[in-house]
Each structure stands twice: as structure tokens, then as C-alpha cells.
Amino acid sequence: MTCQHCGGETLAFPVPEAARDHLPDDRPGGELCTTCLRVTPTDDPPSEYPDFQTISDAFPRDSEAGAVLACLLAVVDSVALYRSELSALARDAESRGVDVMLFLDRLDADEALQPYFDVDRRNRQLEQLLYE
Ligand SMILES: [Zn+2]
């Protein structure tokens, strides 16, 4: 599929069980844009986690942790609306050994990407959420 917003290619992924409760959409999968990092819910995801490192090496090698981060990217620009969801997804990723702040920093530094959200700003808000 291609992204409706920027025309970039998307990567389909199944939503991990642990993340399902923390997403505003209850569909079983998402399509992550490989350019702007927007996520569109999908009814028909693949059964296996894809290799998120094809998007950026900011993603962890563990593709299930990558899928949790993809879910986080779906709500990261709606901090006010999805505060508890965002915090739960970030904690889930951290419990898998991911440094979420570092992940966002590395996405921001990746010149192949054009994130749809202000990474720096969201990073600071997320830091407050996690460590307040
Ligand atoms: Zn896009």
C-alpha cells in the first residue's frame, strides 16, 4: 500500500497482543508509512512481524518490540487525547529493552525519514509522561 498523506510506501504489521488494549482503534493490524511514520489501521495484517529495520535502524532488531513502537507512533502525536495509552505503550517498549527517547531521537536524525510529528517536542512530552 501507499501512504494517503505523503505517497510513501507502507509496511504492514500485526498489532502485538500486549499493545491492543492501548490503541484507540481495535483493528488487528496497522500500516506504518516508511517515510512520514503515520499509521493507518488495517483489518488484514500479515501474521508475522515485518523487519522494521528496513525503515530505519532506529528500530530494534526484535520485531515484536518494533511493532510496539509502531503502535506508539500511531498515538504519539495525540498526547492530550491518548496520554495513558501512550504511556502504557512506552512502558511496554521499555520493558522489552527499548530506550524510547533514544528511538525517537534516532528517527529524528534519520535523513531518509520525514516524521509527521515534531519529534523533539513529543520526545520532551513523553519524557514527562514516563518520569513524572
Ligand atoms: Zn506517509
Side-chain angles (χ1 to χ4, degrees), residues 3-10 33-38:
C3 174
Q4 294 169 355
H5 300 276
C6 75
E9 276 183 50
T10 61
C33 176
T34 60
T35 304
C36 73
L37 304 174
R38 277 190 180 86

Side-chain angles (χ1 to χ4, degrees), residues 35-61:
T35 304
C36 73
L37 304 174
R38 277 190 180 86
V39 178
T40 311
T42 177
D43 285 316
D44 190 27
S47 53
E48 305 278 325
Y49 296 112
D51 180 3
F52 288 95
Q53 289 194 313
T54 59
I55 298 179
S56 168
D57 57 15
F59 280 91
R61 207 159 288 158

Side-chain angles (χ1 to χ4, degrees), residues 69-127:
L69 289 169
C71 293
L72 183 142
L73 291 172
V75 291
V76 75
D77 206 35
S78 314
V79 180
L81 207 54
Y82 301 122
R83 189 185 170 82
S84 62
E85 288 84 350
L86 188 56
S87 157
L89 288 166
R91 284 176 209 279
D92 184 290
E94 301 241 316
S95 76
R96 297 169 196 264
V98 175
D99 182 331
V100 176
M101 305 297 141
L102 185 64
F103 166 68
L104 291 173
D105 273 342
R106 291 184 65 195
L107 285 182
D108 200 25
D110 191 329
E111 289 182 1
L113 301 174
Q114 293 161 8
Y116 75 98
F117 56 95
D118 181 337
V119 177
D120 206 42
R121 188 153 165 252
R122 295 309 176 205
N123 210 344
R124 272 179 279 130
Q125 288 174 321
L126 201 56
E127 190 170 15

